[in-house]
mmCIF file of all heavy atoms in Angstrom:
data_model
loop_
_atom_site.group_PDB
_atom_site.id
_atom_site.type_symbol
_atom_site.label_atom_id
_atom_site.label_comp_id
_atom_site.label_asym_id
_atom_site.label_seq_id
_atom_site.Cartn_x
_atom_site.Cartn_y
_atom_site.Cartn_z
ATOM 1 N N LYS A 772 35.061 -28.831 2.493
ATOM 2 C CA LYS A 772 35.675 -27.631 2.024
ATOM 3 C C LYS A 772 35.139 -26.403 2.677
ATOM 4 O O LYS A 772 35.885 -25.328 2.772
ATOM 5 C CB LYS A 772 35.303 -27.593 0.432
ATOM 6 C CG LYS A 772 35.998 -28.769 -0.284
ATOM 7 C CD LYS A 772 35.540 -28.669 -1.855
ATOM 8 C CE LYS A 772 36.181 -29.902 -2.541
ATOM 9 N NZ LYS A 772 35.741 -29.817 -3.866
ATOM 10 N N TRP A 773 33.919 -26.414 3.218
ATOM 11 C CA TRP A 773 33.444 -25.290 3.990
ATOM 12 C C TRP A 773 34.277 -24.944 5.042
ATOM 13 O O TRP A 773 34.731 -23.737 5.364
ATOM 14 C CB TRP A 773 32.043 -25.476 4.531
ATOM 15 C CG TRP A 773 31.028 -25.670 3.364
ATOM 16 C CD1 TRP A 773 30.599 -26.849 2.684
ATOM 17 C CD2 TRP A 773 30.239 -24.616 2.670
ATOM 18 N NE1 TRP A 773 29.668 -26.680 1.639
ATOM 19 C CE2 TRP A 773 29.511 -25.295 1.720
ATOM 20 C CE3 TRP A 773 30.201 -23.255 2.794
ATOM 21 C CZ2 TRP A 773 28.600 -24.572 0.932
ATOM 22 C CZ3 TRP A 773 29.306 -22.526 2.013
ATOM 23 C CH2 TRP A 773 28.504 -23.206 1.060
ATOM 24 N N GLU A 774 34.666 -26.016 5.833
ATOM 25 C CA GLU A 774 35.449 -25.736 7.131
ATOM 26 C C GLU A 774 36.985 -25.466 6.665
ATOM 27 O O GLU A 774 37.516 -24.490 7.247
ATOM 28 C CB GLU A 774 35.417 -27.117 7.939
ATOM 29 C CG GLU A 774 36.196 -27.015 9.136
ATOM 30 C CD GLU A 774 36.152 -28.240 10.024
ATOM 31 O OE1 GLU A 774 34.979 -28.845 10.130
ATOM 32 O OE2 GLU A 774 37.159 -28.717 10.603
ATOM 33 N N GLU A 775 37.416 -26.177 5.762
ATOM 34 C CA GLU A 775 38.868 -26.002 5.359
ATOM 35 C C GLU A 775 39.131 -24.567 4.839
ATOM 36 O O GLU A 775 40.215 -23.960 5.022
ATOM 37 C CB GLU A 775 39.341 -26.953 4.304
ATOM 38 C CG GLU A 775 39.281 -28.531 4.738
ATOM 39 C CD GLU A 775 40.553 -28.722 5.670
ATOM 40 O OE1 GLU A 775 41.401 -28.091 5.639
ATOM 41 O OE2 GLU A 775 40.317 -29.789 6.496
ATOM 42 N N CYS A 776 38.162 -24.094 4.117
ATOM 43 C CA CYS A 776 38.429 -22.678 3.484
ATOM 44 C C CYS A 776 37.735 -21.654 4.223
ATOM 45 O O CYS A 776 37.704 -20.503 3.846
ATOM 46 C CB CYS A 776 37.776 -22.719 2.116
ATOM 47 S SG CYS A 776 38.742 -23.719 0.908
ATOM 48 N N ARG A 777 37.250 -21.979 5.427
ATOM 49 C CA ARG A 777 36.457 -20.974 6.332
ATOM 50 C C ARG A 777 35.325 -20.215 5.576
ATOM 51 O O ARG A 777 35.295 -18.937 5.673
ATOM 52 C CB ARG A 777 37.473 -19.988 6.942
ATOM 53 C CG ARG A 777 38.512 -20.655 7.946
ATOM 54 C CD ARG A 777 39.270 -19.801 8.595
ATOM 55 N NE ARG A 777 40.155 -20.412 9.610
ATOM 56 C CZ ARG A 777 41.438 -20.759 9.417
ATOM 57 N NH1 ARG A 777 41.971 -20.509 8.372
ATOM 58 N NH2 ARG A 777 42.182 -21.376 10.415
ATOM 59 N N LEU A 778 34.592 -20.916 4.918
ATOM 60 C CA LEU A 778 33.422 -20.407 4.156
ATOM 61 C C LEU A 778 32.247 -20.765 4.893
ATOM 62 O O LEU A 778 32.017 -21.648 5.595
ATOM 63 C CB LEU A 778 33.346 -20.930 2.709
ATOM 64 C CG LEU A 778 34.629 -20.587 2.007
ATOM 65 C CD1 LEU A 778 34.574 -21.431 0.471
ATOM 66 C CD2 LEU A 778 34.716 -19.149 1.594
ATOM 67 N N THR A 779 31.321 -19.701 4.720
ATOM 68 C CA THR A 779 30.062 -19.845 5.487
ATOM 69 C C THR A 779 28.877 -20.146 4.531
ATOM 70 O O THR A 779 28.544 -19.392 3.658
ATOM 71 C CB THR A 779 29.819 -18.620 6.226
ATOM 72 O OG1 THR A 779 30.873 -18.066 6.921
ATOM 73 C CG2 THR A 779 28.434 -18.596 7.136
ATOM 74 N N PRO A 780 28.116 -21.241 4.814
ATOM 75 C CA PRO A 780 26.904 -21.576 3.948
ATOM 76 C C PRO A 780 25.862 -20.529 4.346
ATOM 77 O O PRO A 780 25.646 -20.332 5.527
ATOM 78 C CB PRO A 780 26.585 -22.975 4.308
ATOM 79 C CG PRO A 780 27.150 -23.282 5.663
ATOM 80 C CD PRO A 780 28.322 -22.316 5.732
ATOM 81 N N ALA A 781 25.178 -19.986 3.385
ATOM 82 C CA ALA A 781 24.060 -18.935 3.590
ATOM 83 C C ALA A 781 22.753 -19.621 3.108
ATOM 84 O O ALA A 781 22.850 -20.218 1.891
ATOM 85 C CB ALA A 781 24.411 -17.674 3.013
ATOM 86 N N PRO A 782 21.603 -19.370 3.585
ATOM 87 C CA PRO A 782 20.447 -19.963 2.991
ATOM 88 C C PRO A 782 20.082 -19.374 1.487
ATOM 89 O O PRO A 782 20.279 -18.293 1.373
ATOM 90 C CB PRO A 782 19.281 -19.560 3.998
ATOM 91 C CG PRO A 782 20.018 -19.129 5.162
ATOM 92 C CD PRO A 782 21.483 -18.676 4.706
ATOM 93 N N ALA A 783 19.818 -20.255 0.673
ATOM 94 C CA ALA A 783 19.243 -19.766 -0.671
ATOM 95 C C ALA A 783 17.901 -19.269 -0.514
ATOM 96 O O ALA A 783 17.083 -19.786 0.332
ATOM 97 C CB ALA A 783 19.355 -20.905 -1.650
ATOM 98 N N ALA A 784 17.362 -18.330 -1.221
ATOM 99 C CA ALA A 784 16.173 -17.723 -1.245
ATOM 100 C C ALA A 784 15.081 -18.613 -1.837
ATOM 101 O O ALA A 784 14.018 -18.689 -1.468
ATOM 102 C CB ALA A 784 16.080 -16.411 -1.944
ATOM 103 N N THR A 785 15.551 -19.373 -2.842
ATOM 104 C CA THR A 785 14.492 -20.194 -3.714
ATOM 105 C C THR A 785 14.818 -21.699 -3.771
ATOM 106 O O THR A 785 13.978 -22.422 -4.246
ATOM 107 C CB THR A 785 14.407 -19.594 -5.068
ATOM 108 O OG1 THR A 785 15.711 -19.843 -5.737
ATOM 109 C CG2 THR A 785 13.991 -18.247 -5.175
ATOM 110 N N LEU A 786 15.786 -22.132 -3.136
ATOM 111 C CA LEU A 786 16.156 -23.536 -3.157
ATOM 112 C C LEU A 786 16.097 -24.259 -1.741
ATOM 113 O O LEU A 786 16.026 -23.571 -0.811
ATOM 114 C CB LEU A 786 17.728 -23.766 -3.647
ATOM 115 C CG LEU A 786 18.083 -23.019 -4.997
ATOM 116 C CD1 LEU A 786 19.504 -23.276 -5.293
ATOM 117 C CD2 LEU A 786 17.253 -23.583 -6.025
ATOM 118 N N GLU A 787 15.817 -25.374 -1.900
ATOM 119 C CA GLU A 787 15.578 -26.197 -0.691
ATOM 120 C C GLU A 787 16.787 -26.766 0.080
ATOM 121 O O GLU A 787 16.924 -26.855 1.235
ATOM 122 C CB GLU A 787 14.588 -27.393 -0.823
ATOM 123 C CG GLU A 787 13.279 -26.998 -1.321
ATOM 124 C CD GLU A 787 12.231 -28.143 -1.607
ATOM 125 O OE1 GLU A 787 12.652 -29.258 -1.037
ATOM 126 O OE2 GLU A 787 11.477 -27.994 -2.435
ATOM 127 N N LEU A 788 17.886 -27.007 -0.756
ATOM 128 C CA LEU A 788 18.995 -27.769 -0.230
ATOM 129 C C LEU A 788 20.268 -27.038 -0.333
ATOM 130 O O LEU A 788 21.032 -27.016 0.543
ATOM 131 C CB LEU A 788 19.124 -29.095 -0.905
ATOM 132 C CG LEU A 788 17.855 -30.036 -0.708
ATOM 133 C CD1 LEU A 788 17.981 -31.288 -1.532
ATOM 134 C CD2 LEU A 788 17.857 -30.554 0.822
ATOM 135 N N ALA A 789 20.570 -26.554 -1.523
ATOM 136 C CA ALA A 789 21.861 -25.981 -1.922
ATOM 137 C C ALA A 789 22.002 -24.664 -1.240
ATOM 138 O O ALA A 789 21.254 -23.809 -1.366
ATOM 139 C CB ALA A 789 21.989 -25.877 -3.389
ATOM 140 N N PRO A 790 23.128 -24.423 -0.466
ATOM 141 C CA PRO A 790 23.450 -23.078 0.118
ATOM 142 C C PRO A 790 24.236 -22.236 -0.672
ATOM 143 O O PRO A 790 24.906 -22.734 -1.659
ATOM 144 C CB PRO A 790 24.273 -23.514 1.380
ATOM 145 C CG PRO A 790 24.957 -24.651 0.888
ATOM 146 C CD PRO A 790 24.062 -25.555 -0.072
ATOM 147 N N ALA A 791 24.125 -20.935 -0.468
ATOM 148 C CA ALA A 791 24.987 -19.983 -1.123
ATOM 149 C C ALA A 791 26.233 -19.916 -0.243
ATOM 150 O O ALA A 791 26.277 -20.422 0.819
ATOM 151 C CB ALA A 791 24.349 -18.664 -1.339
ATOM 152 N N ILE A 792 27.379 -19.254 -0.889
ATOM 153 C CA ILE A 792 28.475 -19.008 -0.052
ATOM 154 C C ILE A 792 28.295 -17.620 0.288
ATOM 155 O O ILE A 792 28.438 -16.604 -0.481
ATOM 156 C CB ILE A 792 29.843 -19.145 -0.954
ATOM 157 C CG1 ILE A 792 29.919 -20.703 -1.344
ATOM 158 C CG2 ILE A 792 31.015 -18.752 -0.158
ATOM 159 C CD1 ILE A 792 31.023 -20.981 -2.258
ATOM 160 N N GLU A 793 28.285 -17.420 1.704
ATOM 161 C CA GLU A 793 28.070 -16.007 2.224
ATOM 162 C C GLU A 793 29.099 -14.958 1.629
ATOM 163 O O GLU A 793 28.904 -13.786 1.403
ATOM 164 C CB GLU A 793 28.018 -16.060 3.795
ATOM 165 C CG GLU A 793 27.708 -14.633 4.359
ATOM 166 C CD GLU A 793 27.485 -14.843 5.821
ATOM 167 O OE1 GLU A 793 26.681 -15.666 6.145
ATOM 168 O OE2 GLU A 793 28.205 -13.983 6.550
ATOM 169 N N GLN A 794 30.458 -15.473 1.671
ATOM 170 C CA GLN A 794 31.531 -14.625 1.305
ATOM 171 C C GLN A 794 31.568 -14.138 -0.265
ATOM 172 O O GLN A 794 32.234 -13.216 -0.655
ATOM 173 C CB GLN A 794 32.928 -15.192 1.592
ATOM 174 C CG GLN A 794 33.075 -15.345 3.066
ATOM 175 C CD GLN A 794 32.362 -16.595 3.746
ATOM 176 O OE1 GLN A 794 31.759 -17.210 3.106
ATOM 177 N NE2 GLN A 794 32.724 -16.727 5.013
ATOM 178 N N SER A 795 30.767 -14.753 -1.052
ATOM 179 C CA SER A 795 30.734 -14.413 -2.538
ATOM 180 C C SER A 795 29.854 -13.271 -2.671
ATOM 181 O O SER A 795 28.700 -13.158 -2.057
ATOM 182 C CB SER A 795 30.088 -15.565 -3.219
ATOM 183 O OG SER A 795 29.918 -15.229 -4.673
ATOM 184 N N PRO A 796 30.202 -12.280 -3.421
ATOM 185 C CA PRO A 796 29.398 -10.976 -3.720
ATOM 186 C C PRO A 796 28.163 -11.175 -4.430
ATOM 187 O O PRO A 796 27.143 -10.512 -4.350
ATOM 188 C CB PRO A 796 30.354 -10.093 -4.371
ATOM 189 C CG PRO A 796 31.244 -10.987 -5.106
ATOM 190 C CD PRO A 796 31.508 -12.180 -4.364
ATOM 191 N N VAL A 797 28.195 -12.385 -5.273
ATOM 192 C CA VAL A 797 26.967 -12.640 -6.136
ATOM 193 C C VAL A 797 26.728 -14.200 -6.175
ATOM 194 O O VAL A 797 27.819 -14.905 -6.519
ATOM 195 C CB VAL A 797 27.180 -12.185 -7.593
ATOM 196 C CG1 VAL A 797 25.899 -12.587 -8.427
ATOM 197 C CG2 VAL A 797 27.321 -10.626 -7.673
ATOM 198 N N SER A 798 25.569 -14.573 -5.744
ATOM 199 C CA SER A 798 25.258 -16.042 -5.748
ATOM 200 C C SER A 798 24.031 -16.244 -6.596
ATOM 201 O O SER A 798 23.037 -15.599 -6.379
ATOM 202 C CB SER A 798 25.123 -16.538 -4.335
ATOM 203 O OG SER A 798 26.197 -16.321 -3.438
ATOM 204 N N VAL A 799 24.196 -17.086 -7.631
ATOM 205 C CA VAL A 799 23.142 -17.323 -8.573
ATOM 206 C C VAL A 799 22.533 -18.689 -8.220
ATOM 207 O O VAL A 799 23.186 -19.789 -8.442
ATOM 208 C CB VAL A 799 23.732 -17.282 -10.012
ATOM 209 C CG1 VAL A 799 22.549 -17.546 -11.027
ATOM 210 C CG2 VAL A 799 24.445 -15.967 -10.282
ATOM 211 N N GLU A 800 21.273 -18.699 -7.783
ATOM 212 C CA GLU A 800 20.542 -19.890 -7.449
ATOM 213 C C GLU A 800 19.887 -20.595 -8.705
ATOM 214 O O GLU A 800 19.367 -19.923 -9.490
ATOM 215 C CB GLU A 800 19.432 -19.563 -6.469
ATOM 216 C CG GLU A 800 19.973 -18.943 -5.238
ATOM 217 C CD GLU A 800 18.964 -18.681 -4.205
ATOM 218 O OE1 GLU A 800 17.764 -19.137 -4.294
ATOM 219 O OE2 GLU A 800 19.095 -17.771 -3.389
ATOM 220 N N CYS A 801 20.210 -21.881 -8.817
ATOM 221 C CA CYS A 801 19.757 -22.611 -9.991
ATOM 222 C C CYS A 801 19.130 -23.882 -9.724
ATOM 223 O O CYS A 801 19.409 -24.627 -8.804
ATOM 224 C CB CYS A 801 21.094 -22.896 -10.835
ATOM 225 S SG CYS A 801 21.982 -21.410 -11.307
ATOM 226 N N ARG A 802 18.035 -24.184 -10.558
ATOM 227 C CA ARG A 802 17.344 -25.475 -10.483
ATOM 228 C C ARG A 802 17.599 -26.171 -11.834
ATOM 229 O O ARG A 802 17.393 -25.597 -12.875
ATOM 230 C CB ARG A 802 15.943 -25.168 -10.327
ATOM 231 C CG ARG A 802 15.113 -26.555 -9.962
ATOM 232 C CD ARG A 802 13.736 -26.240 -9.391
ATOM 233 N NE ARG A 802 13.838 -25.885 -8.020
ATOM 234 C CZ ARG A 802 13.553 -24.585 -7.420
ATOM 235 N NH1 ARG A 802 12.996 -23.659 -8.180
ATOM 236 N NH2 ARG A 802 13.755 -24.345 -6.131
ATOM 237 N N VAL A 803 18.191 -27.371 -11.731
ATOM 238 C CA VAL A 803 18.480 -28.220 -12.969
ATOM 239 C C VAL A 803 17.223 -28.494 -13.756
ATOM 240 O O VAL A 803 16.237 -28.925 -13.307
ATOM 241 C CB VAL A 803 19.096 -29.437 -12.645
ATOM 242 C CG1 VAL A 803 19.411 -30.413 -13.769
ATOM 243 C CG2 VAL A 803 20.323 -29.181 -11.709
ATOM 244 N N ARG A 804 17.296 -28.094 -15.043
ATOM 245 C CA ARG A 804 16.250 -28.422 -16.147
ATOM 246 C C ARG A 804 16.414 -29.789 -16.815
ATOM 247 O O ARG A 804 15.569 -30.477 -17.045
ATOM 248 C CB ARG A 804 16.091 -27.308 -17.011
ATOM 249 C CG ARG A 804 15.075 -27.444 -18.114
ATOM 250 C CD ARG A 804 15.191 -26.476 -19.110
ATOM 251 N NE ARG A 804 14.472 -25.202 -18.705
ATOM 252 C CZ ARG A 804 13.665 -24.406 -19.325
ATOM 253 N NH1 ARG A 804 13.487 -24.714 -20.696
ATOM 254 N NH2 ARG A 804 13.106 -23.348 -18.937
ATOM 255 N N ASP A 805 17.818 -29.991 -17.109
ATOM 256 C CA ASP A 805 18.082 -31.094 -17.926
ATOM 257 C C ASP A 805 19.653 -31.387 -17.736
ATOM 258 O O ASP A 805 20.447 -30.496 -17.425
ATOM 259 C CB ASP A 805 17.831 -30.850 -19.342
ATOM 260 C CG ASP A 805 17.786 -32.061 -20.331
ATOM 261 O OD1 ASP A 805 17.918 -33.097 -19.818
ATOM 262 O OD2 ASP A 805 17.762 -31.862 -21.578
ATOM 263 N N VAL A 806 20.043 -32.721 -17.986
ATOM 264 C CA VAL A 806 21.481 -33.095 -17.931
ATOM 265 C C VAL A 806 21.713 -33.624 -19.277
ATOM 266 O O VAL A 806 21.152 -34.580 -19.773
ATOM 267 C CB VAL A 806 21.720 -34.007 -16.816
ATOM 268 C CG1 VAL A 806 23.139 -34.478 -16.869
ATOM 269 C CG2 VAL A 806 21.258 -33.616 -15.534
ATOM 270 N N LEU A 807 22.739 -33.094 -20.027
ATOM 271 C CA LEU A 807 23.206 -33.581 -21.105
ATOM 272 C C LEU A 807 24.545 -34.337 -21.136
ATOM 273 O O LEU A 807 25.585 -33.785 -20.511
ATOM 274 C CB LEU A 807 23.532 -32.356 -22.280
ATOM 275 C CG LEU A 807 22.176 -31.541 -22.418
ATOM 276 C CD1 LEU A 807 22.604 -30.378 -23.342
ATOM 277 C CD2 LEU A 807 21.183 -32.407 -22.984
ATOM 278 N N GLU A 808 24.464 -35.648 -21.292
ATOM 279 C CA GLU A 808 25.793 -36.495 -21.078
ATOM 280 C C GLU A 808 26.540 -36.411 -22.323
ATOM 281 O O GLU A 808 26.222 -37.105 -23.374
ATOM 282 C CB GLU A 808 25.338 -37.869 -20.650
ATOM 283 C CG GLU A 808 24.529 -37.853 -19.435
ATOM 284 C CD GLU A 808 24.158 -39.348 -18.902
ATOM 285 O OE1 GLU A 808 24.560 -40.388 -19.610
ATOM 286 O OE2 GLU A 808 23.434 -39.480 -17.978
ATOM 287 N N LEU A 809 27.470 -35.410 -22.320
ATOM 288 C CA LEU A 809 28.224 -35.239 -23.556
ATOM 289 C C LEU A 809 29.478 -35.937 -23.911
ATOM 290 O O LEU A 809 30.132 -35.873 -24.913
ATOM 291 C CB LEU A 809 28.532 -33.720 -23.626
ATOM 292 C CG LEU A 809 27.160 -32.720 -23.436
ATOM 293 C CD1 LEU A 809 27.649 -31.336 -23.381
ATOM 294 C CD2 LEU A 809 26.303 -32.920 -24.670
ATOM 295 N N GLY A 810 30.088 -36.375 -22.816
ATOM 296 C CA GLY A 810 31.398 -37.223 -22.916
ATOM 297 C C GLY A 810 32.167 -37.102 -21.688
ATOM 298 O O GLY A 810 31.582 -37.401 -20.571
ATOM 299 N N SER A 811 33.295 -36.503 -21.569
ATOM 300 C CA SER A 811 34.078 -36.283 -20.343
ATOM 301 C C SER A 811 33.267 -35.473 -19.371
ATOM 302 O O SER A 811 33.447 -35.756 -18.225
ATOM 303 C CB SER A 811 35.399 -35.720 -20.615
ATOM 304 O OG SER A 811 35.288 -34.344 -21.092
ATOM 305 N N HIS A 812 32.478 -34.597 -19.705
ATOM 306 C CA HIS A 812 31.706 -33.711 -18.955
ATOM 307 C C HIS A 812 30.305 -33.821 -19.206
ATOM 308 O O HIS A 812 29.861 -34.162 -20.397
ATOM 309 C CB HIS A 812 31.981 -32.273 -19.113
ATOM 310 C CG HIS A 812 33.333 -31.997 -18.528
ATOM 311 N ND1 HIS A 812 34.658 -32.359 -19.096
ATOM 312 C CD2 HIS A 812 33.699 -31.160 -17.340
ATOM 313 C CE1 HIS A 812 35.572 -31.938 -18.420
ATOM 314 N NE2 HIS A 812 35.122 -31.175 -17.396
ATOM 315 N N HIS A 813 29.326 -33.814 -18.108
ATOM 316 C CA HIS A 813 27.978 -33.807 -18.281
ATOM 317 C C HIS A 813 27.473 -32.303 -18.049
ATOM 318 O O HIS A 813 27.853 -31.741 -17.038
ATOM 319 C CB HIS A 813 27.239 -34.675 -17.355
ATOM 320 C CG HIS A 813 27.481 -36.063 -17.778
ATOM 321 N ND1 HIS A 813 26.896 -37.197 -17.011
ATOM 322 C CD2 HIS A 813 28.239 -36.828 -18.647
ATOM 323 C CE1 HIS A 813 27.340 -38.334 -17.352
ATOM 324 N NE2 HIS A 813 28.132 -38.109 -18.471
ATOM 325 N N MET A 814 26.706 -31.752 -18.945
ATOM 326 C CA MET A 814 26.202 -30.450 -18.850
ATOM 327 C C MET A 814 24.959 -30.303 -18.027
ATOM 328 O O MET A 814 23.933 -30.974 -18.425
ATOM 329 C CB MET A 814 26.127 -29.584 -20.166
ATOM 330 C CG MET A 814 25.675 -28.257 -19.995
ATOM 331 S SD MET A 814 25.818 -27.288 -21.599
ATOM 332 C CE MET A 814 24.345 -27.943 -22.374
ATOM 333 N N PHE A 815 24.842 -29.543 -16.990
ATOM 334 C CA PHE A 815 23.543 -29.288 -16.223
ATOM 335 C C PHE A 815 22.974 -28.083 -16.748
ATOM 336 O O PHE A 815 23.587 -26.961 -16.472
ATOM 337 C CB PHE A 815 23.966 -29.311 -14.790
ATOM 338 C CG PHE A 815 24.306 -30.562 -14.040
ATOM 339 C CD1 PHE A 815 25.674 -30.928 -14.061
ATOM 340 C CD2 PHE A 815 23.283 -31.338 -13.457
ATOM 341 C CE1 PHE A 815 26.071 -32.199 -13.635
ATOM 342 C CE2 PHE A 815 23.765 -32.510 -12.906
ATOM 343 C CZ PHE A 815 25.098 -32.952 -12.993
ATOM 344 N N LEU A 816 21.943 -28.049 -17.505
ATOM 345 C CA LEU A 816 21.169 -26.952 -17.964
ATOM 346 C C LEU A 816 20.369 -26.511 -16.889
ATOM 347 O O LEU A 816 19.487 -27.332 -16.403
ATOM 348 C CB LEU A 816 20.603 -27.243 -19.213
ATOM 349 C CG LEU A 816 19.801 -26.262 -20.087
ATOM 350 C CD1 LEU A 816 20.762 -25.268 -20.551
ATOM 351 C CD2 LEU A 816 19.141 -26.833 -21.284
ATOM 352 N N ALA A 817 20.286 -25.233 -16.330
ATOM 353 C CA ALA A 817 19.554 -24.897 -15.252
ATOM 354 C C ALA A 817 18.822 -23.542 -15.424
ATOM 355 O O ALA A 817 19.306 -22.694 -16.052
ATOM 356 C CB ALA A 817 20.433 -24.851 -14.086
#
């Protein structure tokens, strides 16, 4: 998707693996605290 949409991965300031999208005006870095398996969707609390 990075290549197809011509998006640029940018280093996160506090994360080791997940990049930010350089073209986004605001990027919110998150570390998962818990995963709630609720049904059709699982909620990542971060």
Side-chain angles (χ1 to χ4, degrees):
K772 295 179 186 180
W773 296 91
E774 184 178 316
E775 294 287 336
C776 294
R777 295 186 175 101
L778 296 171
T779 308
T785 60
L786 304 177
E787 296 176 27
L788 301 168
I792 297 174
E793 185 174 305
Q794 291 83 353
S795 174
V797 178
S798 298
V799 184
E800 300 179 18
C801 300
R802 191 163 284 114
V803 176
R804 176 186 284 220
D805 199 5
V806 181
L807 304 174
E808 298 182 8
L809 302 172
S811 64
H812 289 70
H813 293 181
M814 184 172 74
F815 290 85
L816 188 61

